[in-house]
Amino acid sequence: MADRFRSTEGLIDALAAAEFDRPPALVSNAHITGLGVARALDAHDVPVVALDRAGGAGAGGAGGGDAVAHDGLAPPSDAVDFAGAVTYPLDDLDGFREDVESIVDAAGTEAVAFGCMDEWVLSYAEADPDGVRLPFAGSDTLDDVLNKSALYATCEALGVPYPETYRLAETAASGTREADATVEEAADALGFPLVVKPELKRDFEEAFGTNVIEVADRGEFADVVAAASEEGIAVMAQKRVDIATGRDHSLASYVPPSGSDDALAVVGNAAVRYPRNFGTSCLVETADEPAIEERALAVLDDAGYHGISEAEFVYDDDRGEFLLLDVNTRPWKWIGMPVAAGANLPMAAYAAVTDATYESEGVEPTRWVYLRDYLSLLGGDDAFWDQLSAADWRRLVSGAFEREGNLTTGVYRPSDPGPAAKLFETEFVDREYYCSC
């Protein structure tokens, strides 16, 4: 277990004193998603180095003079061997590259990178640090998948349903494709409320603090588009989908370089979100929806993408069908669900670029719960009814869920108590970790 979150220099010194019998995994970020990836790899004895930017309440607890502040939940996990700070790539990509190359050099062996948020996976691809193997497609392919304008054009060509969307003429100069409509034309076609989305969300998130904005009228719509134009960001107007609550589905998959015919995939139903309807997943179940798998893999195949991804679909009550919203070319918050179901996507990705081997023995029905959000929903939403049984709660409290049943968790595991204990330490203090995943 990583006994502390180290400074970059302290991490380099620690790695120089260690020995590795296989390439370690570099997992970024070092929070909930990174924790899920670390546990998946640790189950196959892959050494894990968790990398993130520093920040938080202070070093605290055990450690030495090289410990730095970090509030993420992965470093206390028994699945993480070393943890430390690197230059945040969105602040300084060259500095990030130099840090990672120094870390790999100190370890004395090549490493495998797992980016668990868009900025990390794109930065690993763009920086392309020496000695780092990437178990996913390069930056050009990533851009094609993450560019929503290109994604929806692919959907149109393949006949994959997606929400009604218009590229706006007012920001077309910053876009990668021709405009479909002006602000006025899009407003007339879509009505209100509608949502404004960027082609590429990184710059939009930095400018607006979110990756989607819902607008209620023409004035708000015009203001958001004008602000995006000033920032040089191409945006689209999209119909606000009348989403059927509890019917959001995603394809969780690893597509190897050989293509989608050899993909390892599981469909998950985000049965419960927190907050309800528009929040992040807190209860996810395996689902039998072959059309979702077929459509998602067709989009990935058309883009030439290989690697881990989540293709997000919502069910449109008005149209009576699933619509593709987005594709995340990385692990995500409930990555532990497909792992527990029998599809260890991180290990499949690791094996593809190393001498390790991995083969799924089949997928079993499984549920994943993030107890922090689920309990918040139970305690704060009178309209929500508990979807776990008394037997589920007994297994959760006793820890028996780790040995029996079909339920797994996002952070809480009695066999690996450090992350849940740290969550208690940070939950009731007046500060916020920079990333919820």
Side-chain angles (χ1 to χ4, degrees), residues 244-279:
T245 302
R247 295 198 64 182
D248 297 350
H249 285 64
S250 294
L251 182 72
S253 70
Y254 169 70
V255 176
S258 57
S260 60
D261 288 345
D262 299 318
L264 179 61
V266 178
V267 176
N269 167 218
V272 180
R273 291 183 177 275
Y274 176 76
R276 295 281 279 164
N277 298 327
F278 60 86

Side-chain angles (χ1 to χ4, degrees), residues 36-104:
V37 172
R39 284 171 167 170
L41 295 170
D42 178 67
H44 291 266
D45 299 319
V46 175
V48 173
V49 181
L51 302 178
D52 207 340
R53 58 172 165 171
D66 66 347
V68 298
H70 182 259
D71 283 347
L73 302 180
S77 172
D78 291 339
V80 176
D81 298 277
F82 299 92
V86 291
T87 299
Y88 188 50
L90 295 190
D91 293 337
D92 181 358
L93 186 64
D94 290 336
F96 169 72
R97 180 192 301 108
E98 292 169 5
D99 286 351
V100 172
E101 289 180 346
S102 295
I103 285 166
V104 172

